[in-house]
Amino acid sequence: MTIEVRELIATDYDSWLVLWNGYLDFYSENLPEGLTDLSWQRIINPEFNLHGLGAFEDGNLLGIVHFNFQNSTISVNGFVLLEDLFVSSAARGKGVGRKLIDAVKARAQAAGCSRLYWDTDRTNETARRLYDTYVQEAGKVQYRLKLL
């Protein structure tokens, strides 16, 4: 399996949407109307701080990752938040997720960032098996205060 990881571009939309909807279904997310399109426009806009990469094999999109750069009071060049990672069910276990994480890691290192971080549900055992090969969970507890 030869996997190419590259920036997502406008013509990737239809393939991206299939995986994005799979991600939303996995996390039981129901987004307000228009938010998916807004997110896509942000991902492909080089002026916006939301980036998307895709893992492709023979032109077929197998997985996606979204990330952004964050300023920090404790780091000169900040951190990178890996926000969303999703691999098609047919491609799981074939190294696609690792390739996507490694591509984000390379971009974070190139920017001089001091940390790459992400979170997942405690029950997401499949993903956690991969994540644990990078680093053990940070032991942080996340609080979410809904504002809208």
Side-chain angles (χ1 to χ4, degrees):
M1 176 180 267
T2 302
I3 300 167
E4 173 199 7
V5 175
R6 65 162 172 79
E7 301 284 332
L8 292 169
I9 57 175
T11 55
D12 296 324
Y13 176 76
D14 291 338
S15 298
W16 170 86
L17 185 59
V18 171
L19 294 179
W20 177 241
N21 284 330
Y23 176 84
L24 295 174
D25 288 345
F26 180 83
Y27 282 108
S28 301
E29 287 287 342
N30 294 308
L31 300 183
E33 187 171 330
L35 187 52
T36 287
D37 289 335
L38 176 62
S39 294
W40 176 251
Q41 291 306 314
R42 288 174 169 175
I43 289 166
I44 63 170
N45 179 352
E47 302 298 316
F48 198 85
N49 183 26
L50 182 58
H51 308 275
L53 302 174
F56 295 83
E57 181 186 41
D58 298 326
N60 297 312
L61 185 59
L62 306 176
I64 57 174
V65 65
H66 307 136
F67 61 99
N68 60 68
F69 292 84
Q70 298 186 327
N71 294 320
S72 171
T73 58
I74 61 171
S75 173
V76 173
N77 293 321
F79 304 147
V80 171
L81 169 61
L82 188 156
E83 191 169 353
D84 312 310
L85 174 68
F86 189 77
V87 174
S88 70
S89 58
R92 289 190 191 135
K94 299 179 179 178
V96 176
R98 181 173 302 282
K99 288 235 183 223
L100 288 166
I101 292 170
D102 289 346
V104 175
K105 179 181 173 187
R107 283 159 176 78
Q109 289 173 316
C113 296
S114 62
R115 180 181 300 162
L116 168 62
Y117 72 103
W118 60 91
D119 61 25
T120 194
D121 288 351
R122 289 193 189 281
T123 59
N124 191 353
E125 294 175 11
T126 301
R128 291 184 71 195
R129 278 193 297 278
L130 170 62
Y131 301 158
D132 287 347
T133 67
Y134 284 91
V135 65
Q136 292 301 303
E137 119 175 54
K140 300 286 186 181
V141 177
Q142 185 181 74
Y143 296 88
R144 294 181 179 178
L145 179 62
K146 293 202 178 221
L147 301 175
L148 298 174

